[in-house]
Amino acid sequence: TAGLRPPFEAQYETFRLSNGVPDKEILGNPQLRPAYSKETEYGVNLAFLQNFNVEYTYSEKRTTDEIIKVPLSAATGYVQQWQNAGTLEGHSHEAAIGAVILSKADYFWRINLTGDRTRQKIADLKVGAFLIGPSEGTSNTQIFRIAPGEPLGVVYGQSWIRNQRQLEQTIRTGRLGANVTAADFVRNEEGFYVRASQHQTVNEVPLLAARCEDEACTTNTTNFRIGNVNPDFNLGFNTTAQWKGINFGSTLTWTKGGQIYNYTRQWPFNELRDVVIDQSGKPSAGNCPALSADPKCPYKTGKKPSTYYSAFYNNFNPSDYFVENGTYVRLRELSASYEFPVRVVERLPGTAFRTARIGLVGRNLWTSTKYTGFDPDVTGPGGGNPFAYRVDYFTYPAYRSVTGMIELGF
């Protein structure tokens, strides 16, 4: 068991200056208690044939009185307050396999394989459901829903119509207009439904999906579950090898599954700065008359007007267009070094050194992924809540580095 202490500033009121005028921001809460965490862990460790070992651990964790910054009613005059508002439950699987492949006087080789999988959900919430995200002050980045029974890491946002079922449901809500049928729409070259009358014209735009919230469709919404940032599993491979004075080591990691919301890509769509907007690879329609004479000519080969792509910016509101596969494999570290024999070091003139070693260490040298952003290994800022988000929110990618090393010992 363990306790998580409230942040010191949570007991005080916080104000924000707006045009020189203080606005109420956070209502202090001097009654905050430490969160209480209880974890139960089961494990097994098996060693056999001298050179092999297997470990497995399963853990269950429950945190009550979770300290969360929650939204307040406007009647309080404040925007948020830290409260002991939630109960969080989670479980994890962790496994490790190690093997010494070779072990002699002059050489040694060991490999290790590790893996883990974690899932968490909100078991209880003492306030109404609300959304959180990487930027507290930006409402359209609040994409994770905090509600009882809700898994942590599910992304909510809008969805573009890509299939017949979505089209029929959206028509039923009335958001596409009155007296329209599925025949009034067509699936374009990029897999999105558009109005048939606008297809391959300067007015072509993708359409947002909607769904009924009850059987009679008296209410509807454009809010959907559009992604889940939780990986299926994480794997790590590590090996170390030594032959006489030569040492070699490497670490490879694999994150399988899970999705990333790419805000860093969404923002430039407002300024038409993305690779999809470069349509030079699409066939040219040749010389076209004025749009008034033939509105389809410039776009009949599949090229789209710039307004078509700027629609995906969607006022920076989250949509499934920017939810991407987060799977990646990365060579996190590769190292090689050579230790000189003692007899060689001792012969160095004018020195009292007994050992000498030189080497190179490379980090983040190679990554394989289908993710279009700079780096799939992202965790967005916490947004004032005790959760981390797998969101690409203008974070700087990890450096690729190569470091040289000279080590001398007495």
Side-chain angles (χ1 to χ4, degrees):
T1 60
L4 304 174
R5 305 184 73 175
F8 177 78
E9 69 275 10
Q11 60 187 312
Y12 301 110
E13 278 70 31
T14 303
F15 298 84
R16 177 185 58 182
L17 281 178
S18 177
N19 296 322
V21 179
D23 291 334
K24 294 179 179 179
E25 185 73 15
I26 300 175
L27 178 62
N29 186 357
Q31 306 302 319
L32 276 176
R33 304 178 302 277
Y36 179 79
S37 293
K38 181 179 180 180
E39 183 172 0
T40 304
E41 187 174 291
Y42 308 91
V44 59
N45 188 329
L46 178 64
F48 56 97
L49 299 178
Q50 293 186 333
N51 293 332
F52 300 89
N53 67 282
V54 177
E55 298 179 21
Y56 170 75
T57 303
Y58 172 76
S59 63
E60 294 179 342
K61 186 175 182 179
R62 179 181 173 88
T63 301
T64 56
D65 286 336
E66 185 75 72
I67 303 167
I68 308 173
K69 192 185 291 184
V70 303
L72 294 178
S73 167
T76 65
Y78 289 86
V79 180
Q80 295 174 308
Q81 185 184 43
W82 291 97
Q83 295 183 10
N84 296 106
T87 297
L88 187 65
E89 293 181 344
H91 63 272
S92 299
H93 300 269
E94 298 178 3
I97 301 174
V100 177
I101 307 301
L102 298 171
S103 180
K104 295 293 183 180
D106 289 338
Y107 54 83
F108 178 84
W109 181 22
R110 179 180 177 87
I111 59 174
N112 297 289
L113 183 66
T114 60
D116 66 81
R117 172 185 165 93
T118 299
R119 290 293 182 269
Q120 298 181 92
K121 73 173 184 178
I122 300 161
D124 184 43
L125 191 66
K126 298 176 182 177
V127 297
F130 62 96
L131 296 170
I132 59 175
S135 177
E136 281 189 350
T138 309
S139 60
N140 47 12
T141 66
Q142 310 302 294
I143 58 177
F144 297 99
R145 187 167 184 261
I146 303 299
E150 189 76 35
L152 280 185
V154 175
V155 180
Y156 282 82
Q158 295 177 313
S159 183
W160 302 96
I161 302 177
R162 302 174 192 248
N163 57 57
Q164 188 73 18
R165 183 176 178 276
Q166 286 178 308
L167 176 64
E168 293 171 354
Q169 186 72 217
T170 308
I171 291 174
R172 188 172 175 228
T173 66
R175 287 179 178 261
L176 295 177
N179 302 317
V180 296
T181 67
D184 296 314
F185 305 89
V186 63
R187 193 177 184 188
N188 71 6
E189 298 80 3
E190 297 186 352
F192 297 95
Y193 274 87
V194 298
R195 296 184 187 276
S197 60
Q198 297 176 346
H199 184 220
Q200 295 184 342
T201 73
V202 70
N203 297 317
E204 182 178 350
V205 290
L207 302 170
L208 285 171
R211 59 183 172 87
C212 299
E213 292 188 299
D214 54 51
E215 189 64 30
C217 207
T218 56
T219 59
N220 61 79
T221 182
T222 61
N223 198 32
F224 295 85
R225 285 190 178 191
I226 59 174
N228 189 333
V229 303
N230 294 297
D232 297 332
F233 56 81
N234 299 297
L235 284 181
F237 174 81
N238 171 267
T239 184
T240 56
Q242 174 261 325
W243 179 67
K244 295 185 177 180
I246 300 174
N247 290 273
F248 170 83
S250 68
T251 300
L252 189 76
T253 59
W254 176 25
T255 295
K256 172 65 171 67
Q259 294 162 309
I260 301 170
Y261 193 88
N262 195 346
Y263 275 117
T264 307
R265 184 185 180 204
Q266 183 175 359
W267 183 266
F269 266 68
N270 188 43
E271 299 161 349
L272 302 179
R273 296 181 180 181
D274 188 83
V275 65
V276 300
I277 298 166
D278 177 8
Q279 301 181 76
S280 58
K282 295 180 180 179
S284 172
N287 295 323
C288 291
L291 288 176
S292 58
D294 186 357
K296 283 184 174 285
C297 182
Y299 310 108
K300 64 185 179 182
T301 62
K303 288 190 175 183
K304 302 299 177 189
S306 60
T307 50
Y308 171 86
Y309 292 108
S310 63
F312 288 113
Y313 174 72
N314 196 29
N315 199 33
F316 208 51
N317 290 317
S319 75
D320 58 1
Y321 189 87
F322 300 100
V323 175
E324 301 189 37
N325 185 346
T327 296
Y328 69 93
V329 178
R330 169 165 288 176
L331 181 59
R332 292 201 175 271
E333 185 172 300
L334 183 65
S335 64
S337 66
Y338 176 71
E339 185 171 352
F340 292 92
V342 175
R343 65 179 184 276
V344 174
V345 179
E346 290 178 339
R347 291 175 184 173
L348 293 175
T351 68
F353 297 117
R354 299 296 302 275
T355 62
R357 188 160 64 103
I358 59 173
L360 287 174
V361 179
R363 293 183 175 88
N364 301 317
L365 297 178
W366 172 80
T367 301
S368 175
T369 183
K370 294 182 179 180
Y371 181 61
T372 63
F374 291 110
D375 188 358
D377 188 12
V378 294
T379 300
N385 291 280
F387 311 112
Y389 315 108
R390 201 179 178 201
V391 174
D392 195 335
Y393 194 72
F394 313 106
T395 50
Y396 206 81
Y399 290 104
R400 178 183 293 121
S401 65
V402 177
T403 305
M405 174 191 67
I406 299 176
E407 184 182 281
L408 301 172
F410 293 98

